[in-house]
Amino acid sequence: MMTAHDDLKIEQMPQTLREIVLGRMRGAILSGRFASGERLVERTLCDQLGVSRSVVREVIRILEAEGLVETMPNRGPMVATLDWSRARQIYDIRLLLEQSAAAACAESADAATKAKLTEALQAIAAAFTSGQSLTLAEATTAFYRVIFLSAGQDIAWEIVQRLNGRISRLRALTLATSERNVSGLARMTRIHDAILSNDAQAAALAVRDHLTEAASIAERLLKSEEP
Amino acid sequence: MMTAHDDLKIEQMPQTLREIVLGRMRGAILSGRFASGERLVERTLCDQLGVSRSVVREVIRILEAEGLVETMPNRGPMVATLDWSRARQIYDIRLLLEQSAAAACAESADAATKAKLTEALQAIAAAFTSGQSLTLAEATTAFYRVIFLSAGQDIAWEIVQRLNGRISRLRALTLATSERNVSGLARMTRIHDAILSNDAQAAALAVRDHLTEAASIAERLLKSEEP
DNA sequence: TGTTGTCTGATGGTATACCAAAGTCACTTA
DNA sequence: TAAGTGACTTTGGTATACCATCAGACAACA
């Protein structure tokens, strides 16, 4: 149903400068544009982004609360570093939350949810064959979003997203690892199938295997690069 | 060993104004000094706190990221409200994390940990008898902190603390509820005993019962006050 | 009565100034 | 030569003034 006034709608919704800068800086950290441990000098950022210190400082507070930035007294903010003991904890928490969400989703999934899930899986498959790791990460995120939101667990989803941000560098590497390509799609398919057959236990098991493997790959990568 | 220069030591170690204001405002929200849904006008806060807008704005960004404050476009920040569907999710997540932490703690607890746990339990018992609900909340927090940190799960502890902040009003009411006083201490003691006998499964079960009861009390309170 | 214009208050955004703390580095002195 | 000293620079912390925009209230007017 398309009426005349729809054409007049303002597209550019009021996105504040702060949100733009937040997205820009978050992306810069997640993509590795700002290296792990790199200092974030306020005035330099102001120049690079073309905004005032007020905006930069508020954005840094948000990133700090998200765990992406750490601030040392009288030294200023720097990109948070990640050691294996922390990464392991994050994988453990993700395991708990994602198992629970997958089980809940499997129990309550209706036809619409299943359709969305299949669609998301196909996007992942496409990203696998095309080999674009950025697309793959987005498709994987979309897959899990369907699981969490259809299970009515939006707060858990927020937490998982935040945790994923903190291990984003690892996650990108893990997804790009070749061994993952072999079995990764198969494991995602297993999760998908379990939910489609409303088998909560199988879904939880599939998630467990998937995450356990991801964690072990991450461990090897992390320990190999900085021992 | 007391030497002359010890007298010259500056007591007030570098706590930034921002941290002070953050603690003050967080406390004001958690204690109900700022009502749920109340608007937080920046310049009014500046007057009340005696600081500049820069500080207030940065603190609001932090509280926003913590989920204690919600900001509507062109309306400004307000204290976040809590409905049962969200509170239920928070109790579910706490259940997962606290069960896991209690089990891990039970498996790995050594003598020192057990001693600290017993000490924390005694503090809870003292708070129960004295009937001070603020002290009780702090003692309960300390009890769980021992569990999480001795299990090496400091990230999960961060998450639980943040979630507890969002349901703090409920939590205070729950702890103060009389039925809880009857069984509450018994349940905490059950958790304590399970960990001291290194029985992971019993610890997880005790936590589950404890939280399930807290959630059901919270549900009644929340649904009775705003249906 | 309903529309319109105006006004006020609050926010978002920016720039700037000042101060304090910490690091740097050359210079002086024992 | 080596240690200490003091000035300079960088950076973070805080305060304040200014402007644009938006929402809600309210009065004037047709």
Side-chain angles (χ1 to χ4, degrees):
Chain A
M1 188 178 100
M2 188 82 169
T3 58
H5 73 274
D6 286 342
D7 300 320
L8 300 178
K9 202 164 188 177
I10 304 295
E11 290 304 328
Q12 188 200 358
M13 278 307 280
Q15 192 177 19
T16 68
L17 194 54
R18 177 170 11 97
E19 288 172 64
I20 298 173
V21 171
L22 175 61
R24 201 77 62 118
M25 285 197 56
R26 193 191 277 131
I29 294 175
L30 298 191
S31 70
R33 168 81 180 73
F34 290 144
S36 191
E38 180 175 340
R39 289 187 59 183
L40 299 173
V41 180
E42 291 181 4
R43 288 170 170 84
T44 307
L45 291 174
C46 292
D47 292 341
Q48 291 175 346
L49 293 160
V51 298
S52 75
R53 272 182 78 197
S54 320
V55 180
V56 169
R57 286 178 65 91
E58 288 180 32
V59 167
I60 285 177
R61 294 307 150 234
I62 298 174
L63 294 173
E64 207 178 345
E66 288 182 1
L68 262 52
V69 163
E70 286 172 350
T71 298
M72 321 252 299
N74 296 320
R75 292 280 323 228
M78 56 178 55
V79 179
T81 56
L82 189 67
D83 54 7
W84 172 239
S85 84
R86 288 184 168 277
R88 202 177 75 88
Q89 289 184 55
I90 290 178
Y91 278 107
D92 286 344
I93 299 169
R94 275 186 57 189
L95 178 59
L96 289 175
L97 297 181
E98 292 182 11
Q99 270 187 322
S100 161
C105 177
E107 277 174 7
S108 69
D110 55 7
T113 303
K114 291 177 182 176
K116 274 191 283 189
L117 211 56
T118 302
E119 192 182 342
L121 183 66
Q122 283 165 354
I124 294 179
F128 259 121
T129 57
S130 76
Q132 295 174 358
S133 88
L134 182 63
T135 313
L136 180 55
E138 283 169 5
T140 307
T141 301
F143 183 78
Y144 275 106
R145 177 166 51 230
V146 173
I147 294 178
F148 273 90
L149 297 191
S150 76
Q153 305 195 358
D154 52 273
I155 294 185
W157 175 238
E158 271 177 39
I159 295 175
V160 168
Q161 275 189 296
R162 190 162 293 193
L163 291 176
N164 274 336
R166 293 170 75 165
I167 55 170
S168 61
R169 204 169 48 85
L170 278 182
R171 194 158 167 258
L173 291 175
T174 311
L175 285 171
T177 298
S178 62
E179 4 181 4
R180 200 71 192 291
N181 284 336
V182 185
S183 59
L185 184 56
R187 294 193 188 279
M188 301 296 273
T189 307
R190 214 177 118 208
I191 300 173
H192 165 269
D193 293 347
I195 294 178
L196 252 65
S197 56
N198 292 100
D199 187 339
Q201 195 160 14
L205 283 177
V207 166
R208 194 196 62 188
D209 291 346
H210 180 243
L211 259 177
T212 307
E213 193 200 7
S216 75
I217 295 178
E219 181 178 13
R220 271 213 314 284
L221 288 172
L222 203 52
K223 289 194 171 171
S224 73
E225 86 177 13
E226 41 182 345
Chain B
M1 186 178 105
M2 190 77 168
T3 58
H5 73 271
D6 284 342
D7 300 324
L8 301 177
K9 199 163 184 178
I10 304 297
E11 291 304 329
Q12 187 198 358
M13 275 314 276
Q15 191 177 21
T16 67
L17 195 52
R18 183 177 56 245
E19 288 172 64
I20 299 172
V21 170
L22 175 61
R24 201 77 61 120
M25 283 198 56
R26 192 191 278 130
I29 293 176
L30 297 191
S31 71
R33 167 81 180 71
F34 288 145
S36 192
E38 181 175 338
R39 288 186 60 180
L40 299 172
V41 181
E42 293 183 1
R43 286 170 172 86
T44 307
L45 292 173
C46 293
D47 291 343
Q48 291 176 346
L49 292 159
V51 296
S52 74
R53 270 184 74 200
S54 321
V55 181
V56 170
R57 286 178 63 92
E58 289 181 32
V59 167
I60 285 177
R61 295 308 150 233
I62 299 174
L63 294 173
E64 206 179 347
E66 288 182 3
L68 262 54
V69 164
E70 285 171 351
T71 298
M72 318 258 294
N74 296 319
R75 292 281 320 230
M78 55 177 54
V79 179
T81 57
L82 189 67
D83 54 8
W84 171 240
S85 83
R86 289 183 167 276
R88 201 177 76 87
Q89 290 184 52
I90 290 178
Y91 278 107
D92 286 344
I93 298 170
R94 275 185 58 189
L95 178 59
L96 290 175
L97 297 180
E98 291 182 12
Q99 272 187 321
S100 160
C105 178
E107 278 173 6
S108 70
D110 55 7
T113 302
K114 291 177 182 176
K116 274 190 285 187
L117 211 57
T118 302
E119 192 182 341
L121 183 65
Q122 284 165 353
I124 293 178
F128 260 120
T129 57
S130 76
Q132 295 173 359
S133 86
L134 183 63
T135 313
L136 179 55
E138 281 169 6
T140 307
T141 300
F143 183 76
Y144 275 107
R145 179 167 47 232
V146 174
I147 293 178
F148 273 91
L149 297 191
S150 76
Q153 304 194 359
D154 51 274
I155 294 185
W157 176 238
E158 271 177 40
I159 295 174
V160 169
Q161 275 189 296
R162 189 161 294 192
L163 292 176
N164 274 336
R166 293 170 74 164
I167 55 169
S168 61
R169 202 169 49 86
L170 278 182
R171 193 158 167 256
L173 292 174
T174 311
L175 284 171
T177 298
S178 63
E179 5 182 1
R180 199 70 192 292
N181 284 337
V182 185
S183 59
L185 184 55
R187 294 194 188 278
M188 300 297 273
T189 307
R190 214 178 118 208
I191 299 174
H192 165 268
D193 293 347
I195 293 178
L196 253 66
S197 55
N198 294 100
D199 188 339
Q201 194 160 14
L205 282 176
V207 166
R208 194 196 60 186
D209 290 347
H210 179 245
L211 260 177
T212 306
E213 193 199 6
S216 75
I217 295 177
E219 181 178 12
R220 271 214 314 285
L221 288 171
L222 203 51
K223 289 194 170 172
S224 72
E225 85 179 12
E226 39 180 344

